[in-house]
Every structure is written in structure tokens, then in C-alpha cells.
Amino acid sequence: IAAVSNYIQHHLSEPITTEQIAASLYISRTHLSARFHKETGITLSDYILKEKTEEAKRLLRYTDKPLSAISAYLGFSSQSHFSRTFRKYAGITPGEYRTKHAGH
């Protein structure tokens, strides 16, 4: 799990797939997914998106980068996909989050 977390932290600015992580660890995608879920209780794809959301929160709080730049930096296919994902994991939109937490 530490190796998975480390991989994700070093690749936050890219689209990350379970296949890429599995290949970097020299194990099958199926084995990685099953083991990760068993040990953490969440799916690997949920974990990846939660980590990207946490990084987005940091960028929204401490930078004035536009949402489009944050979305692109974190490897989302579109700003709307980023906004939907952020809202799913943070409970509010990126814009609302920035207004509430800017400079904290």
C-alpha cells in the first residue's frame, strides 16, 4: 500500500491508471486491485481520485491558479470532470471550496 501511495504522489499531475501502478510494481492489475481493496476497504480508483482531490484542495487554498489550470495539472480530461470528481469527494464545488478556504 505504501508503494501504491508513493506512486500516486509522484504521478498526481498525470492521468493514473490501475494498470500503470500494477506494472510499476510488477504485479497484475487484478491482484493489485483485490489486495488494495482488501487492505484499505476502498477501491484503488477511489483512492486515486481522493488523493487528486486532496491535492486540488491544497492548490485551491494556497495558489490563485484558475480551476482550468488545476484540472489540467491533475490530469483530468476536462474541467467539468474535475468539478464533478471534486464535488463527489469534497462535498462542494472547487469554486465554493476556494471561497471558503482561501488563504487558510
Side-chain angles (χ1 to χ4, degrees):
I1 302 306
V4 171
S5 181
N6 191 39
Y7 180 93
I8 292 167
Q9 289 304 316
H10 286 91
H11 295 86
L12 274 175
S13 64
E14 304 163 20
I16 302 171
T17 66
T18 306
E19 288 83 2
Q20 290 168 318
I21 298 171
S24 77
L25 300 174
Y26 305 102
I27 58 177
S28 77
R29 181 188 63 78
T30 311
H31 178 74
L32 173 63
S33 293
R35 187 166 163 203
F36 190 89
H37 190 265
K38 182 180 177 202
E39 291 188 25
T40 65
I42 64 170
T43 66
L44 184 51
S45 54
D46 263 347
Y47 181 77
I48 292 166
L49 293 174
K50 281 183 177 182
E51 289 298 304
K52 285 186 178 262
T53 300
E54 288 307 310
E55 180 65 7
K57 286 178 179 179
R58 191 185 70 71
L59 293 167
L60 288 164
R61 270 197 313 266
Y62 301 116
T63 75
D64 57 2
K65 289 182 183 195
L67 297 182
S68 57
I70 293 172
S71 169
Y73 170 74
L74 292 174
F76 284 94
S77 56
S78 67
Q79 189 177 333
S80 62
H81 180 228
F82 165 63
S83 292
R84 281 193 311 275
T85 301
F86 189 93
R87 185 179 199 128
K88 177 181 177 183
Y89 293 99
I92 58 177
T93 68
E96 290 167 340
Y97 185 89
R98 174 170 268 163
T99 301
K100 203 171 178 180
H101 298 281
H104 292 216

